[in-house]
């Protein structure tokens, strides 16, 4: 235990400005859904701080674009494109990440996801099952596949971050499937924290986002879609503006604006950082103060 604390202290390194630099040097991070939005910004932030980053997305060209940007700016990343709802994909992802990370994996960010809304009495089984598959079963399969790389006693900083939503904490009309799935991942983080904290020092936390300006919250009319099996699922909010200005509910946010994908990603990286070495099993609300 004393040795582990000493190692964590040394990982903090010299603090330059208001952010430690190189705090993930030599560590490997898998970030699902990192072809765009919050996940892509998260991949770039991990890479900026020295991590070997494994970019995963169902959209291969977007995954490769994130990797290109990271590698061209001096970071280290590989793309492993595929569908997180497949066990085979998750096994391959872990294998490729371990090869890239010289036999080690340190951070999982379970971020891939989308919405498929309907009011309760009109929601189909397919819509319901899709949310459980992508937001619950997929992260479970990845965590289980990566278990041998987290149940280790080398004292290095290991974290798992699940991505929840205010809908998972507070509920939201029209999103019973997403609400159930997103509350599920808060329990997932707490369970991992309890199973892998005592012996291995793994920290697991959840982040519940409010309104972050990505394609998920852009105007539905812009034609954004997610892919589920052979289906294209329209995403976005009917009538939303790109800045959030005028969106219903904005005035309920003390900061009076949506968060940027970079701000959202910053919270993930902050939780994974050794500065948070005593924070685990926590649900961090990243909402601009909404719903406090
Ligand atoms: N934007 C918000 O306001 C908000 C709020 C609360 C929670 N979230 C959550 O944050 C996470 C990221 O969302 P975002 O806003 O960045 O959305 P986004 O659509 O910009 O990015 C999500 C990424 O996940 C990928 N993805 C979806 N299904 C996949 C699958 N089966 N396999 C692999 N990749 C898949 C998509 O291709 C996309 O690149 C999601 O889990 C979302 O539910 C977002």
């Amino acid at each position: 235990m004393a040795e582990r604390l000493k190692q964590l202290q040394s990982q903090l390194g010299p603090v330059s400005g208001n952010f430690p630099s190189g705090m993930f040097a030599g560590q490997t991070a898998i970030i699902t859904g990192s072809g765009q939005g919050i996940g892509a910004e998260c991949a770039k932030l991990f890479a900026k701080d020295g991590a070997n980053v494994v970019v995963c997305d169902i959209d291969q060209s977007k995954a490769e674009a994130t990797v290109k940007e990271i590698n061209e700016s001096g970071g280290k990343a590989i793309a492993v494109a595929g569908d997180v709802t497949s066990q085979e994909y998750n096994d391959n992802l872990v294998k490729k990440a371990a090869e890239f990370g010289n036999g080690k994996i340190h951070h999982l960010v379970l971020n891939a996801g989308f919405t498929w809304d309907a009011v309760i009495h009109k929601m189909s089984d397919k819509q319901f099952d899709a949310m459980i598959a992508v937001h619950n079963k997929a992260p479970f399969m990845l965590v289980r596949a990566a278990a041998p790389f987290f149940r280790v006693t080398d004292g290095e900083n290991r974290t798992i971050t699940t991505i929840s939503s205010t809908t998972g904490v507070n509920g939201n009309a029209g999103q019973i499937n997403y609400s159930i799935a997103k509350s599920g991942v808060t329990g997932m983080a707490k369970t991992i924290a309890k199973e892998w904290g005592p012996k291995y020092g793994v920290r697991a936390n959840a982040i519940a986002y409010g309104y972050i300006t990505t394609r998920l919250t852009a105007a539905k009319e812009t034609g954004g879609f997610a892919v589920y099996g052979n289906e294209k699922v329209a995403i976005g909010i009917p009538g939303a503006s790109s800045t959030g200005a005028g969106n219903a509910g904005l005035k309920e946010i003390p900061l009076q604006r949506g968060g940027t994908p970079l701000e959202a990603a910053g919270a993930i990286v902050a939780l994974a950082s050794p500065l948070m070495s005593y924070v685990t099993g926590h649900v961090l609300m990243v909402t601009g103060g909404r719903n406090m």
Side-chain angles (χ1 to χ4, degrees), residues 58-141:
I58 200 165
D59 188 324
Q60 181 160 3
S61 61
K62 286 182 177 162
E64 282 168 0
T66 305
V67 166
K68 187 164 181 274
E69 197 180 331
I70 291 173
N71 289 336
E72 283 180 355
S73 46
K76 280 180 282 173
I78 56 165
V80 183
D83 184 345
V84 291
T85 63
S86 147
Q87 180 69 62
E88 199 186 344
Y89 170 71
N90 284 299
D91 292 343
N92 185 45
L93 177 58
V94 167
K95 185 170 165 278
K96 294 263 172 63
E99 283 165 12
F100 185 50
N102 296 317
K104 293 192 177 195
I105 303 171
H106 298 81
H107 305 283
L108 298 182
V109 180
L110 306 164
N111 168 77
F114 62 97
T115 49
W116 199 353
D117 301 347
V119 287
I120 295 167
H121 60 288
K122 292 186 178 170
M123 183 161 294
S124 68
D125 283 356
K126 190 194 271 183
Q127 276 171 288
F128 184 87
D129 293 345
M131 290 296 98
I132 304 301
V134 74
H135 296 284
N136 297 155
K137 181 105 188 266
F140 159 67
M141 289 192 292

Side-chain angles (χ1 to χ4, degrees), residues 33 35-39 56-59 82-85 111-114 134-135 163-166 178 182 209-217 227 235:
Q36 64 200 315
I38 298 166
C56 325
D57 207 283
I58 200 165
D59 188 324
D83 184 345
V84 291
T85 63
N111 168 77
F114 62 97
V134 74
H135 296 284
I163 301 304
S164 182
S165 161
T166 46
Y178 189 70
K182 286 303 194 187
Y209 291 119
Y211 169 46
I212 308 297
T213 53
T214 66
R215 66 173 193 156
L216 210 59
T217 52
V227 175
I235 54 174

